[in-house]
Amino acid sequence: MRLRILFILCVLAMFLAAPLEASAGDEAEQGTIVTLWPLFDYRESPGNGFSNLSILGPLIKVQQQGEERTTAVRPFVYRTVDEREQSATTSYLYPLASSREAPEVSTFQVLQLFQVNTFRKDEPDKVKSDSMLFPFYIRGISETYGPYTSVFPFYGTLYERFWRDEIHYTLFPLYSRTVKKGTTTRNYLYPFFSTTSGVGENGIQFWPLYGSAAKEGSYERRFILWPFYFHERRGLDTDNPTERLTVFPLYSATESPRLSSRTYLWPFMGWTSDRQAKQEERRYLWPLVMTASGEKRDVKRYLPFYAEERSKETLKRWYLWPLYRHDELASDTYCRDRDRILFFLYSDLREQWPIDQAERRRTTLWPLFVFNRDTHGVKQFSFPALMEPILPQEGIERNWAPLWRVYIQRWSDSGDSTVSFLWNLYWHERRGNDLAYELFPLVSYRSEGTRADVSVLKGLIRLRQNKGVKTLSLFWLPFGITWDASGEAAAGQESTMTNSARLEP
């Protein structure tokens, strides 16, 4: 029994040891690393104002970096607080919901369908708010028209929403009325019956049988048995009046001073002549075969075998669509090259800013890896990559990707590097001449300046060196044997032991 208790105490002492903690005098400069995989991983660099606590691998994260604090319980909550800006941003099970609080605005949304927004100004009476549970409930205030409320489909009024100046409805789709730029449209049993009215404007529609509308000196349009017959004249009050006639699928024509277009037996054959852009286009079995030539762009499309589109600054090519695609963009300020295989299976994106002489690169192979090189030359490789190649979004990178990234490596041209395997079961860090690594719980090592610390089994055997003085300790004891570079016991050994004990937590 006593041997069992002694063994348990030794194991506890082994796993609670912190072999990589700096001494009290050096802590402010060198920082602290305390690990107990997979329960927690704590790292602190007081000189940089940085600290990070990870609990249960990537699941829980508490990080402070300058005036920015991050708290995460992945993938459920990720919150960032900027103390300088007095703002906070939180995502909930990204991209399900998010919120933002700042001195001038507070927002909360769920899939953009449910929203609550508050906008504050310096004057207390200028606070504005709106809310929405789309499409059932919408409430807000228009600076032009005032407050509005919509309870769909029973009754509602909306101002300056959904590309309309006004929207009014009762028991939709039985009745609705919209106003846009002075034109009023009334719908009865939408979309089948409607009327249009305005200054010099009127129209009527019995969809899909017949509809017509006209505004004096502006436009005329009519359809019969939509979409089989449609005729329109628009832009009559401009220098480019346009007439369009469609007898689907036999014939379609568009004619204006700037452009002529014809389609015969859609989608088999068609052509367009854009006189303003000096562009000629031919279409056969649209969108499979198409050619275009002119001053602004040239297109050769023979899908699925080959497609090429050129303009002054861009180039796009497909080979055996959708197998391989190449894109180029080149300007005086920005250049981009991208190669893709099967859309997102493989992607290689290179970007350049010639004026700033900066470069960036991102290479992905789904679902195996992501490689990034930022504009400062810092590179990162991570494995695997389950969603990042498909959805290259910051929310995926923060909330989800750390959960499945088994291996991460970062390095720079200066030689600094970090490695993490199985959420720090093995980790490696190099900063200039300083080096630290650990394979939990077998061995750990740290070297900073004149200090070096190597530990086996979290302190079962531990050897430390500081300014030529070495200390060997066994069995997780807070003291040990100390000697100097000459191999003799260091002077003031008792005092040295006492000081060395401060290396332990």
Side-chain angles (χ1 to χ4, degrees):
M1 179 62 70
R2 292 181 178 177
L3 291 177
R4 182 180 300 177
I5 295 175
L6 180 60
F7 175 76
I8 294 175
L9 292 176
C10 290
V11 171
L12 288 175
M14 176 182 70
F15 286 107
L16 291 177
L20 297 184
E21 183 176 4
S23 65
D26 297 335
E27 183 176 358
E29 179 180 353
Q30 296 175 345
T32 302
I33 300 177
V34 183
T35 63
L36 183 60
W37 188 90
L39 298 182
F40 68 85
D41 185 296
Y42 178 75
R43 295 161 192 261
E44 182 182 17
S45 179
N48 298 324
F50 172 84
S51 66
N52 183 85
L53 172 64
S54 298
I55 301 175
L56 297 177
L59 294 181
I60 300 176
K61 171 183 178 178
V62 180
Q63 178 178 291
Q64 182 79 37
Q65 188 164 11
E67 296 183 350
E68 185 175 278
R69 183 173 68 256
T70 300
T71 306
V73 181
R74 294 186 177 99
F76 305 104
V77 179
Y78 194 99
R79 180 177 177 83
T80 301
V81 178
D82 191 324
E83 298 173 354
R84 181 180 58 183
E85 300 291 337
Q86 296 181 339
S87 64
T89 303
T90 308
S91 60
Y92 308 91
L93 203 62
Y94 178 88
L96 179 64
S98 66
S99 66
R100 181 173 181 265
E101 301 93 37
E104 295 185 353
V105 62
S106 297
T107 65
F108 178 77
Q109 65 83 26
V110 179
L111 290 176
Q112 300 298 327
L113 300 179
F114 174 69
Q115 297 183 17
V116 178
N117 305 310
T118 302
F119 305 95
R120 294 176 289 271
K121 295 185 178 180
D122 295 335
E123 303 87 346
D125 58 340
K126 292 296 182 68
V127 176
K128 293 178 56 179
S129 65
D130 61 62
S131 56
M132 176 177 70
L133 178 58
F134 186 83
F136 305 107
Y137 177 78
I138 302 176
R139 178 187 62 83
I141 299 177
S142 166
E143 292 185 358
T144 304
Y145 301 96
Y148 58 85
T149 303
S150 168
V151 183
F152 186 85
F154 305 106
Y155 176 83
T157 295
L158 298 170
Y159 296 128
E160 298 177 318
R161 299 292 293 264
F162 308 114
W163 308 281
R164 297 292 185 272
D165 299 328
E166 302 179 38
I167 300 176
H168 310 270
Y169 68 88
T170 302
L171 296 177
F172 187 85
L174 293 183
Y175 173 77
S176 65
R177 176 171 63 91
T178 66
V179 180
K180 181 179 181 180
K181 296 181 179 180
T183 299
T184 300
T185 301
R186 291 177 169 85
N187 292 279
Y188 308 89
L189 200 61
Y190 177 87
F192 298 105
F193 308 102
S194 70
T195 63
T196 301
S197 61
V199 178
E201 183 177 14
N202 62 80
I204 189 170
Q205 172 178 293
F206 301 94
W207 187 86
L209 301 179
Y210 175 81
S212 66
K215 183 175 183 179
E216 185 178 351
S218 180
Y219 75 88
E220 299 174 0
R221 60 172 176 263
R222 177 182 291 108
F223 73 82
I224 302 174
L225 293 177
W226 186 93
F228 297 104
Y229 176 84
F230 178 82
H231 179 252
E232 177 186 41
R233 298 172 65 217
R234 54 186 171 84
L236 302 181
D237 53 351
T238 69
D239 61 354
N240 188 48
T242 302
E243 183 174 6
R244 178 184 174 193
L245 172 65
T246 298
V247 182
F248 185 81
L250 303 178
Y251 176 75
S252 177
T254 301
E255 192 67 41
S256 74
R258 301 175 184 174
L259 182 143
S260 297
S261 180
R262 302 289 186 274
T263 299
Y264 306 94
L265 293 175
W266 184 92
F268 291 99
M269 183 171 61
W271 60 268
T272 298
S273 176
D274 189 333
R275 288 178 285 275
Q276 183 182 34
K278 298 181 180 180
Q279 190 80 26
E280 299 291 331
E281 180 179 305
R282 296 289 184 271
R283 302 177 296 274
Y284 308 93
L285 288 175
W286 183 90
L288 299 180
V289 179
M290 192 265 278
T291 61
S293 60
E295 292 184 350
K296 293 186 177 180
R297 69 170 188 153
D298 291 286
V299 180
K300 298 177 183 178
R301 183 188 300 163
Y302 308 100
L303 295 179
F305 305 105
Y306 175 76
E308 178 182 288
E309 181 176 346
R310 287 180 177 270
S311 68
K312 182 179 179 181
E313 295 182 345
T314 64
L315 170 64
K316 300 178 183 179
R317 284 198 182 106
W318 279 104
Y319 298 92
L320 296 177
W321 183 93
L323 180 62
Y324 174 76
R325 176 171 176 169
H326 175 76
D327 296 271
E328 295 181 15
L329 186 153
S331 68
D332 296 336
T333 58
Y334 177 69
C335 300
R336 182 184 67 206
D337 288 87
R338 187 178 185 184
D339 296 291
R340 284 186 285 175
I341 297 176
L342 292 176
F343 297 108
F344 57 81
L345 178 65
Y346 172 81
S347 173
D348 187 15
L349 173 64
R350 289 91 63 195
E351 297 174 284
Q352 291 182 330
W353 290 264
I355 297 178
D356 299 329
Q357 296 184 345
E359 298 182 357
R360 185 169 63 187
R361 184 171 187 174
R362 177 180 173 87
T363 306
T364 64
L365 178 61
W366 182 83
L368 297 182
F369 71 83
V370 173
F371 169 81
N372 284 293
R373 183 183 64 203
D374 65 19
T375 54
H376 302 289
V378 178
K379 308 170 188 66
Q380 174 176 306
F381 175 88
S382 58
F383 165 88
L386 303 186
M387 295 177 63
E388 304 94 302
I390 305 172
L391 299 172
Q393 300 175 3
E394 186 178 358
I396 297 296
E397 186 75 20
R398 296 181 310 182
N399 295 52
W400 290 95
L403 296 175
W404 56 69
R405 283 182 174 169
V406 175
Y407 179 83
I408 305 175
Q409 181 177 357
R410 296 184 183 94
W411 68 99
S412 65
D413 296 335
S414 63
D416 295 345
S417 65
T418 64
V419 174
S420 175
F421 175 69
L422 280 178
W423 305 284
N424 284 351
L425 173 65
Y426 169 77
W427 59 267
H428 174 114
E429 292 187 9
R430 178 179 291 278
R431 296 287 185 271
N433 294 324
D434 299 336
L435 172 65
Y437 61 82
E438 179 177 5
L439 177 59
F440 184 89
L442 300 179
V443 62
S444 59
Y445 175 80
R446 185 175 186 179
S447 173
E448 292 181 320
T450 60
R451 290 186 67 251
D453 190 333
V454 60
S455 175
V456 177
L457 293 176
K458 301 296 285 186
L460 177 64
I461 304 174
R462 186 175 182 186
L463 177 62
R464 288 160 289 175
Q465 177 178 299
N466 189 9
K467 298 179 180 179
V469 179
K470 300 180 181 179
T471 302
L472 174 66
S473 58
L474 305 174
F475 304 111
W476 310 285
L477 294 174
F479 54 85
I481 303 172
T482 302
W483 68 94
D484 57 20
S486 64
E488 299 179 357
Q493 181 176 355
E494 185 65 28
S495 175
T496 305
M497 290 182 181
T498 303
N499 290 335
S500 66
R502 291 191 294 178
L503 293 171
E504 303 293 349

